[in-house]
Amino acid sequence: MVPITVFTPTYNRAYTLHKCYNSLKRQTCKEFVWLVVDDGSTDNTRELIEKWRQDSDFEIIYYYQENKGMSEAHNTAYKLINTELNMCVDSD
């Protein structure tokens, strides 16, 4: 089991989400899972994450929900996290 979950709540941020992904790719320790909680995006966030999931050297979990706002995206993340430690990294 990985020791930490890095979670990113996002809404229509496909245009800047690559900054977060590239930062995570540059980490020397890959013992984490990246949980992306998509809060109802209508852009190409899903397709972007799916492409990265195929090529990534760390685990990426994508979860889509109807738009409920930032606080609910955080609440959803906490329901999905199964590691002892976690941290939030914004989508940009």
Side-chain angles (χ1 to χ4, degrees):
M1 176 195 263
V2 294
I4 188 167
T5 298
V6 176
F7 73 93
T8 301
T10 188
Y11 175 74
N12 286 342
R13 301 291 293 237
Y15 69 95
T16 190
L17 201 53
H18 69 278
K19 294 177 185 178
C20 182
Y21 175 66
N22 288 332
S23 177
L24 292 172
K25 277 180 57 171
R26 286 191 301 271
Q27 301 307 304
T28 56
C29 177
K30 305 291 184 177
E31 294 181 26
F32 63 89
V33 59
W34 185 31
L35 169 61
V36 179
V37 178
D38 185 345
D39 192 42
S41 293
T42 57
D43 61 5
N44 66 326
T45 295
R46 179 187 306 262
E47 293 81 11
L48 196 59
I49 298 297
E50 290 303 324
K51 178 181 174 282
W52 292 337
R53 285 181 71 192
Q54 295 172 12
D55 300 326
S56 180
D57 56 354
F58 54 87
E59 182 180 2
I60 300 173
I61 298 172
Y62 174 81
Y63 184 85
Y64 180 88
Q65 67 182 22
E66 296 297 317
N67 183 262
K68 298 177 184 177
M70 178 67 78
S71 61
E72 281 301 314
H74 276 254
N75 290 339
T76 297
Y78 289 122
K79 290 175 187 173
L80 296 171
I81 291 169
N82 61 10
T83 57
E84 183 177 353
L85 303 172
N86 67 78
M87 67 174 286
C88 179
V89 175
D90 200 17
S91 56
D92 63 353

PDB file of all heavy atoms in Angstrom, residues 58-84:
ATOM      1  N   PHE A  58       3.142   6.491 -11.525  1.00  0.00           N
ATOM      2  CA  PHE A  58       2.484   6.450 -10.214  1.00  0.00           C
ATOM      3  C   PHE A  58       0.994   6.244 -10.463  1.00  0.00           C
ATOM      4  O   PHE A  58       0.491   6.494 -11.562  1.00  0.00           O
ATOM      5  CB  PHE A  58       2.756   7.718  -9.386  1.00  0.00           C
ATOM      6  CG  PHE A  58       2.425   9.008 -10.088  1.00  0.00           C
ATOM      7  CD1 PHE A  58       1.144   9.552 -10.031  1.00  0.00           C
ATOM      8  CD2 PHE A  58       3.397   9.679 -10.817  1.00  0.00           C
ATOM      9  CE1 PHE A  58       0.852  10.744 -10.670  1.00  0.00           C
ATOM     10  CE2 PHE A  58       3.113  10.870 -11.460  1.00  0.00           C
ATOM     11  CZ  PHE A  58       1.832  11.408 -11.387  1.00  0.00           C
ATOM     12  N   GLU A  59       0.309   5.762  -9.454  1.00  0.00           N
ATOM     13  CA  GLU A  59      -1.111   5.453  -9.602  1.00  0.00           C
ATOM     14  C   GLU A  59      -1.934   6.735  -9.644  1.00  0.00           C
ATOM     15  O   GLU A  59      -1.723   7.654  -8.851  1.00  0.00           O
ATOM     16  CB  GLU A  59      -1.585   4.577  -8.446  1.00  0.00           C
ATOM     17  CG  GLU A  59      -3.034   4.165  -8.561  1.00  0.00           C
ATOM     18  CD  GLU A  59      -3.499   3.284  -7.411  1.00  0.00           C
ATOM     19  OE1 GLU A  59      -2.709   3.021  -6.489  1.00  0.00           O
ATOM     20  OE2 GLU A  59      -4.665   2.877  -7.444  1.00  0.00           O
ATOM     21  N   ILE A  60      -2.892   6.770 -10.565  1.00  0.00           N
ATOM     22  CA  ILE A  60      -3.816   7.896 -10.671  1.00  0.00           C
ATOM     23  C   ILE A  60      -5.234   7.334 -10.586  1.00  0.00           C
ATOM     24  O   ILE A  60      -5.602   6.435 -11.342  1.00  0.00           O
ATOM     25  CB  ILE A  60      -3.649   8.663 -11.994  1.00  0.00           C
ATOM     26  CG1 ILE A  60      -2.233   9.211 -12.129  1.00  0.00           C
ATOM     27  CG2 ILE A  60      -4.687   9.785 -12.087  1.00  0.00           C
ATOM     28  CD1 ILE A  60      -1.932   9.848 -13.474  1.00  0.00           C
ATOM     29  N   ILE A  61      -5.998   7.890  -9.673  1.00  0.00           N
ATOM     30  CA  ILE A  61      -7.411   7.523  -9.539  1.00  0.00           C
ATOM     31  C   ILE A  61      -8.236   8.737  -9.943  1.00  0.00           C
ATOM     32  O   ILE A  61      -8.014   9.844  -9.448  1.00  0.00           O
ATOM     33  CB  ILE A  61      -7.755   7.108  -8.094  1.00  0.00           C
ATOM     34  CG1 ILE A  61      -6.949   5.881  -7.693  1.00  0.00           C
ATOM     35  CG2 ILE A  61      -9.259   6.865  -7.946  1.00  0.00           C
ATOM     36  CD1 ILE A  61      -7.070   5.507  -6.233  1.00  0.00           C
ATOM     37  N   TYR A  62      -9.167   8.518 -10.847  1.00  0.00           N
ATOM     38  CA  TYR A  62     -10.041   9.599 -11.314  1.00  0.00           C
ATOM     39  C   TYR A  62     -11.452   9.314 -10.828  1.00  0.00           C
ATOM     40  O   TYR A  62     -11.966   8.215 -11.006  1.00  0.00           O
ATOM     41  CB  TYR A  62     -10.009   9.671 -12.846  1.00  0.00           C
ATOM     42  CG  TYR A  62     -10.989  10.662 -13.425  1.00  0.00           C
ATOM     43  CD1 TYR A  62     -10.687  12.017 -13.458  1.00  0.00           C
ATOM     44  CD2 TYR A  62     -12.201  10.245 -13.934  1.00  0.00           C
ATOM     45  CE1 TYR A  62     -11.584  12.932 -13.996  1.00  0.00           C
ATOM     46  CE2 TYR A  62     -13.104  11.141 -14.477  1.00  0.00           C
ATOM     47  CZ  TYR A  62     -12.798  12.483 -14.498  1.00  0.00           C
ATOM     48  OH  TYR A  62     -13.686  13.392 -15.022  1.00  0.00           O
ATOM     49  N   TYR A  63     -12.067  10.321 -10.220  1.00  0.00           N
ATOM     50  CA  TYR A  63     -13.438  10.190  -9.744  1.00  0.00           C
ATOM     51  C   TYR A  63     -14.238  11.396 -10.214  1.00  0.00           C
ATOM     52  O   TYR A  63     -13.850  12.536  -9.974  1.00  0.00           O
ATOM     53  CB  TYR A  63     -13.475  10.103  -8.211  1.00  0.00           C
ATOM     54  CG  TYR A  63     -14.861   9.867  -7.683  1.00  0.00           C
ATOM     55  CD1 TYR A  63     -15.378   8.577  -7.595  1.00  0.00           C
ATOM     56  CD2 TYR A  63     -15.661  10.929  -7.285  1.00  0.00           C
ATOM     57  CE1 TYR A  63     -16.667   8.356  -7.121  1.00  0.00           C
ATOM     58  CE2 TYR A  63     -16.949  10.714  -6.810  1.00  0.00           C
ATOM     59  CZ  TYR A  63     -17.444   9.437  -6.738  1.00  0.00           C
ATOM     60  OH  TYR A  63     -18.717   9.216  -6.277  1.00  0.00           O
ATOM     61  N   TYR A  64     -15.342  11.129 -10.908  1.00  0.00           N
ATOM     62  CA  TYR A  64     -16.224  12.187 -11.399  1.00  0.00           C
ATOM     63  C   TYR A  64     -17.480  12.248 -10.549  1.00  0.00           C
ATOM     64  O   TYR A  64     -18.044  11.224 -10.197  1.00  0.00           O
ATOM     65  CB  TYR A  64     -16.607  11.919 -12.866  1.00  0.00           C
ATOM     66  CG  TYR A  64     -17.521  12.974 -13.430  1.00  0.00           C
ATOM     67  CD1 TYR A  64     -16.995  14.114 -14.020  1.00  0.00           C
ATOM     68  CD2 TYR A  64     -18.899  12.836 -13.354  1.00  0.00           C
ATOM     69  CE1 TYR A  64     -17.832  15.103 -14.527  1.00  0.00           C
ATOM     70  CE2 TYR A  64     -19.742  13.822 -13.845  1.00  0.00           C
ATOM     71  CZ  TYR A  64     -19.208  14.949 -14.429  1.00  0.00           C
ATOM     72  OH  TYR A  64     -20.034  15.923 -14.920  1.00  0.00           O
ATOM     73  N   GLN A  65     -17.893  13.473 -10.231  1.00  0.00           N
ATOM     74  CA  GLN A  65     -19.169  13.661  -9.549  1.00  0.00           C
ATOM     75  C   GLN A  65     -19.869  14.876 -10.143  1.00  0.00           C
ATOM     76  O   GLN A  65     -19.231  15.724 -10.757  1.00  0.00           O
ATOM     77  CB  GLN A  65     -18.974  13.860  -8.048  1.00  0.00           C
ATOM     78  CG  GLN A  65     -18.263  15.143  -7.662  1.00  0.00           C
ATOM     79  CD  GLN A  65     -18.045  15.256  -6.163  1.00  0.00           C
ATOM     80  OE1 GLN A  65     -18.034  14.278  -5.444  1.00  0.00           O
ATOM     81  NE2 GLN A  65     -17.886  16.476  -5.703  1.00  0.00           N
ATOM     82  N   GLU A  66     -21.172  14.939  -9.971  1.00  0.00           N
ATOM     83  CA  GLU A  66     -21.911  16.127 -10.378  1.00  0.00           C
ATOM     84  C   GLU A  66     -21.381  17.313  -9.587  1.00  0.00           C
ATOM     85  O   GLU A  66     -20.928  17.151  -8.452  1.00  0.00           O
ATOM     86  CB  GLU A  66     -23.409  15.939 -10.111  1.00  0.00           C
ATOM     87  CG  GLU A  66     -24.044  14.835 -10.932  1.00  0.00           C
ATOM     88  CD  GLU A  66     -24.003  15.111 -12.420  1.00  0.00           C
ATOM     89  OE1 GLU A  66     -24.276  16.265 -12.826  1.00  0.00           O
ATOM     90  OE2 GLU A  66     -23.681  14.184 -13.185  1.00  0.00           O
ATOM     91  N   ASN A  67     -21.448  18.491 -10.165  1.00  0.00           N
ATOM     92  CA  ASN A  67     -20.912  19.693  -9.527  1.00  0.00           C
ATOM     93  C   ASN A  67     -21.615  19.957  -8.192  1.00  0.00           C
ATOM     94  O   ASN A  67     -22.827  20.101  -8.135  1.00  0.00           O
ATOM     95  CB  ASN A  67     -21.065  20.894 -10.454  1.00  0.00           C
ATOM     96  CG  ASN A  67     -20.452  22.130  -9.841  1.00  0.00           C
ATOM     97  OD1 ASN A  67     -21.147  22.944  -9.269  1.00  0.00           O
ATOM     98  ND2 ASN A  67     -19.154  22.260  -9.966  1.00  0.00           N
ATOM     99  N   LYS A  68     -20.810  19.982  -7.134  1.00  0.00           N
ATOM    100  CA  LYS A  68     -21.316  20.216  -5.781  1.00  0.00           C
ATOM    101  C   LYS A  68     -20.512  21.292  -5.064  1.00  0.00           C
ATOM    102  O   LYS A  68     -20.808  21.624  -3.928  1.00  0.00           O
ATOM    103  CB  LYS A  68     -21.259  18.926  -4.972  1.00  0.00           C
ATOM    104  CG  LYS A  68     -22.107  17.809  -5.531  1.00  0.00           C
ATOM    105  CD  LYS A  68     -21.940  16.550  -4.721  1.00  0.00           C
ATOM    106  CE  LYS A  68     -22.724  15.412  -5.336  1.00  0.00           C
ATOM    107  NZ  LYS A  68     -22.514  14.164  -4.601  1.00  0.00           N
ATOM    108  N   GLY A  69     -19.450  21.774  -5.683  1.00  0.00           N
ATOM    109  CA  GLY A  69     -18.628  22.800  -5.065  1.00  0.00           C
ATOM    110  C   GLY A  69     -17.371  22.230  -4.432  1.00  0.00           C
ATOM    111  O   GLY A  69     -17.245  21.030  -4.197  1.00  0.00           O
ATOM    112  N   MET A  70     -16.442  23.132  -4.144  1.00  0.00           N
ATOM    113  CA  MET A  70     -15.122  22.758  -3.639  1.00  0.00           C
ATOM    114  C   MET A  70     -15.191  21.968  -2.337  1.00  0.00           C
ATOM    115  O   MET A  70     -14.507  20.950  -2.181  1.00  0.00           O
ATOM    116  CB  MET A  70     -14.271  24.009  -3.439  1.00  0.00           C
ATOM    117  CG  MET A  70     -12.901  23.732  -2.874  1.00  0.00           C
ATOM    118  SD  MET A  70     -11.816  22.829  -3.978  1.00  0.00           S
ATOM    119  CE  MET A  70     -11.339  24.141  -5.060  1.00  0.00           C
ATOM    120  N   SER A  71     -16.000  22.401  -1.387  1.00  0.00           N
ATOM    121  CA  SER A  71     -16.030  21.705  -0.096  1.00  0.00           C
ATOM    122  C   SER A  71     -16.541  20.277  -0.245  1.00  0.00           C
ATOM    123  O   SER A  71     -16.027  19.362   0.401  1.00  0.00           O
ATOM    124  CB  SER A  71     -16.864  22.471   0.934  1.00  0.00           C
ATOM    125  OG  SER A  71     -18.197  22.604   0.496  1.00  0.00           O
ATOM    126  N   GLU A  72     -17.508  20.061  -1.116  1.00  0.00           N
ATOM    127  CA  GLU A  72     -18.012  18.709  -1.341  1.00  0.00           C
ATOM    128  C   GLU A  72     -16.995  17.850  -2.094  1.00  0.00           C
ATOM    129  O   GLU A  72     -16.921  16.641  -1.874  1.00  0.00           O
ATOM    130  CB  GLU A  72     -19.347  18.727  -2.085  1.00  0.00           C
ATOM    131  CG  GLU A  72     -20.520  19.040  -1.193  1.00  0.00           C
ATOM    132  CD  GLU A  72     -20.676  18.050  -0.040  1.00  0.00           C
ATOM    133  OE1 GLU A  72     -20.598  16.823  -0.259  1.00  0.00           O
ATOM    134  OE2 GLU A  72     -20.878  18.515   1.091  1.00  0.00           O
ATOM    135  N   ALA A  73     -16.209  18.461  -2.959  1.00  0.00           N
ATOM    136  CA  ALA A  73     -15.142  17.718  -3.637  1.00  0.00           C
ATOM    137  C   ALA A  73     -14.115  17.246  -2.612  1.00  0.00           C
ATOM    138  O   ALA A  73     -13.624  16.119  -2.685  1.00  0.00           O
ATOM    139  CB  ALA A  73     -14.483  18.577  -4.713  1.00  0.00           C
ATOM    140  N   HIS A  74     -13.813  18.085  -1.636  1.00  0.00           N
ATOM    141  CA  HIS A  74     -12.921  17.684  -0.548  1.00  0.00           C
ATOM    142  C   HIS A  74     -13.544  16.544   0.255  1.00  0.00           C
ATOM    143  O   HIS A  74     -12.864  15.566   0.580  1.00  0.00           O
ATOM    144  CB  HIS A  74     -12.622  18.871   0.377  1.00  0.00           C
ATOM    145  CG  HIS A  74     -11.520  19.733  -0.089  1.00  0.00           C
ATOM    146  ND1 HIS A  74     -10.281  19.739   0.484  1.00  0.00           N
ATOM    147  CD2 HIS A  74     -11.462  20.640  -1.107  1.00  0.00           C
ATOM    148  CE1 HIS A  74      -9.505  20.606  -0.132  1.00  0.00           C
ATOM    149  NE2 HIS A  74     -10.203  21.161  -1.106  1.00  0.00           N
ATOM    150  N   ASN A  75     -14.815  16.671   0.591  1.00  0.00           N
ATOM    151  CA  ASN A  75     -15.498  15.621   1.345  1.00  0.00           C
ATOM    152  C   ASN A  75     -15.485  14.300   0.592  1.00  0.00           C
ATOM    153  O   ASN A  75     -15.277  13.238   1.189  1.00  0.00           O
ATOM    154  CB  ASN A  75     -16.932  16.036   1.673  1.00  0.00           C
ATOM    155  CG  ASN A  75     -17.003  17.145   2.699  1.00  0.00           C
ATOM    156  OD1 ASN A  75     -16.066  17.367   3.454  1.00  0.00           O
ATOM    157  ND2 ASN A  75     -18.114  17.853   2.721  1.00  0.00           N
ATOM    158  N   THR A  76     -15.697  14.356  -0.707  1.00  0.00           N
ATOM    159  CA  THR A  76     -15.649  13.146  -1.530  1.00  0.00           C
ATOM    160  C   THR A  76     -14.266  12.529  -1.476  1.00  0.00           C
ATOM    161  O   THR A  76     -14.117  11.312  -1.323  1.00  0.00           O
ATOM    162  CB  THR A  76     -16.037  13.461  -2.987  1.00  0.00           C
ATOM    163  OG1 THR A  76     -17.387  13.921  -3.011  1.00  0.00           O
ATOM    164  CG2 THR A  76     -15.882  12.246  -3.882  1.00  0.00           C
ATOM    165  N   ALA A  77     -13.244  13.352  -1.587  1.00  0.00           N
ATOM    166  CA  ALA A  77     -11.869  12.844  -1.534  1.00  0.00           C
ATOM    167  C   ALA A  77     -11.637  12.109  -0.228  1.00  0.00           C
ATOM    168  O   ALA A  77     -11.089  10.999  -0.214  1.00  0.00           O
ATOM    169  CB  ALA A  77     -10.867  13.993  -1.688  1.00  0.00           C
ATOM    170  N   TYR A  78     -12.056  12.687   0.887  1.00  0.00           N
ATOM    171  CA  TYR A  78     -11.833  12.054   2.187  1.00  0.00           C
ATOM    172  C   TYR A  78     -12.575  10.728   2.308  1.00  0.00           C
ATOM    173  O   TYR A  78     -12.122   9.826   3.004  1.00  0.00           O
ATOM    174  CB  TYR A  78     -12.195  13.005   3.326  1.00  0.00           C
ATOM    175  CG  TYR A  78     -11.198  14.140   3.457  1.00  0.00           C
ATOM    176  CD1 TYR A  78     -11.605  15.450   3.366  1.00  0.00           C
ATOM    177  CD2 TYR A  78      -9.838  13.880   3.624  1.00  0.00           C
ATOM    178  CE1 TYR A  78     -10.680  16.491   3.463  1.00  0.00           C
ATOM    179  CE2 TYR A  78      -8.918  14.902   3.714  1.00  0.00           C
ATOM    180  CZ  TYR A  78      -9.346  16.203   3.642  1.00  0.00           C
ATOM    181  OH  TYR A  78      -8.430  17.218   3.725  1.00  0.00           O
ATOM    182  N   LYS A  79     -13.683  10.582   1.610  1.00  0.00           N
ATOM    183  CA  LYS A  79     -14.408   9.304   1.608  1.00  0.00           C
ATOM    184  C   LYS A  79     -13.663   8.242   0.795  1.00  0.00           C
ATOM    185  O   LYS A  79     -13.774   7.048   1.072  1.00  0.00           O
ATOM    186  CB  LYS A  79     -15.815   9.487   1.041  1.00  0.00           C
ATOM    187  CG  LYS A  79     -16.732  10.273   1.948  1.00  0.00           C
ATOM    188  CD  LYS A  79     -18.067  10.514   1.274  1.00  0.00           C
ATOM    189  CE  LYS A  79     -18.919  11.447   2.120  1.00  0.00           C
ATOM    190  NZ  LYS A  79     -20.166  11.835   1.432  1.00  0.00           N
ATOM    191  N   LEU A  80     -12.909   8.684  -0.213  1.00  0.00           N
ATOM    192  CA  LEU A  80     -12.227   7.754  -1.114  1.00  0.00           C
ATOM    193  C   LEU A  80     -10.807   7.411  -0.679  1.00  0.00           C
ATOM    194  O   LEU A  80     -10.263   6.394  -1.098  1.00  0.00           O
ATOM    195  CB  LEU A  80     -12.178   8.349  -2.530  1.00  0.00           C
ATOM    196  CG  LEU A  80     -13.525   8.571  -3.211  1.00  0.00           C
ATOM    197  CD1 LEU A  80     -13.342   9.360  -4.503  1.00  0.00           C
ATOM    198  CD2 LEU A  80     -14.221   7.256  -3.476  1.00  0.00           C
ATOM    199  N   ILE A  81     -10.218   8.241   0.142  1.00  0.00           N
ATOM    200  CA  ILE A  81      -8.830   8.036   0.556  1.00  0.00           C
ATOM    201  C   ILE A  81      -8.734   6.835   1.486  1.00  0.00           C
ATOM    202  O   ILE A  81      -9.493   6.723   2.443  1.00  0.00           O
ATOM    203  CB  ILE A  81      -8.284   9.305   1.246  1.00  0.00           C
ATOM    204  CG1 ILE A  81      -8.143  10.421   0.214  1.00  0.00           C
ATOM    205  CG2 ILE A  81      -6.968   9.029   1.951  1.00  0.00           C
ATOM    206  CD1 ILE A  81      -7.878  11.788   0.815  1.00  0.00           C
ATOM    207  N   ASN A  82      -7.779   5.946   1.208  1.00  0.00           N
ATOM    208  CA  ASN A  82      -7.582   4.781   2.076  1.00  0.00           C
ATOM    209  C   ASN A  82      -6.134   4.675   2.563  1.00  0.00           C
ATOM    210  O   ASN A  82      -5.671   3.598   2.912  1.00  0.00           O
ATOM    211  CB  ASN A  82      -8.031   3.490   1.388  1.00  0.00           C
ATOM    212  CG  ASN A  82      -7.249   3.215   0.120  1.00  0.00           C
ATOM    213  OD1 ASN A  82      -6.256   3.874  -0.163  1.00  0.00           O
ATOM    214  ND2 ASN A  82      -7.709   2.246  -0.637  1.00  0.00           N
ATOM    215  N   THR A  83      -5.435   5.801   2.553  1.00  0.00           N
ATOM    216  CA  THR A  83      -4.087   5.842   3.108  1.00  0.00           C
ATOM    217  C   THR A  83      -4.137   6.618   4.419  1.00  0.00           C
ATOM    218  O   THR A  83      -5.059   7.395   4.663  1.00  0.00           O
ATOM    219  CB  THR A  83      -3.106   6.540   2.141  1.00  0.00           C
ATOM    220  OG1 THR A  83      -3.584   7.855   1.859  1.00  0.00           O
ATOM    221  CG2 THR A  83      -2.933   5.756   0.861  1.00  0.00           C
ATOM    222  N   GLU A  84      -3.129   6.387   5.244  1.00  0.00           N
ATOM    223  CA  GLU A  84      -3.093   7.074   6.532  1.00  0.00           C
ATOM    224  C   GLU A  84      -2.857   8.574   6.370  1.00  0.00           C
ATOM    225  O   GLU A  84      -3.394   9.392   7.113  1.00  0.00           O
ATOM    226  CB  GLU A  84      -1.991   6.471   7.407  1.00  0.00           C
ATOM    227  CG  GLU A  84      -1.941   7.073   8.787  1.00  0.00           C
ATOM    228  CD  GLU A  84      -0.888   6.417   9.673  1.00  0.00           C
ATOM    229  OE1 GLU A  84      -0.280   5.416   9.263  1.00  0.00           O
ATOM    230  OE2 GLU A  84      -0.697   6.936  10.774  1.00  0.00           O
TER     231      GLU A  84
END
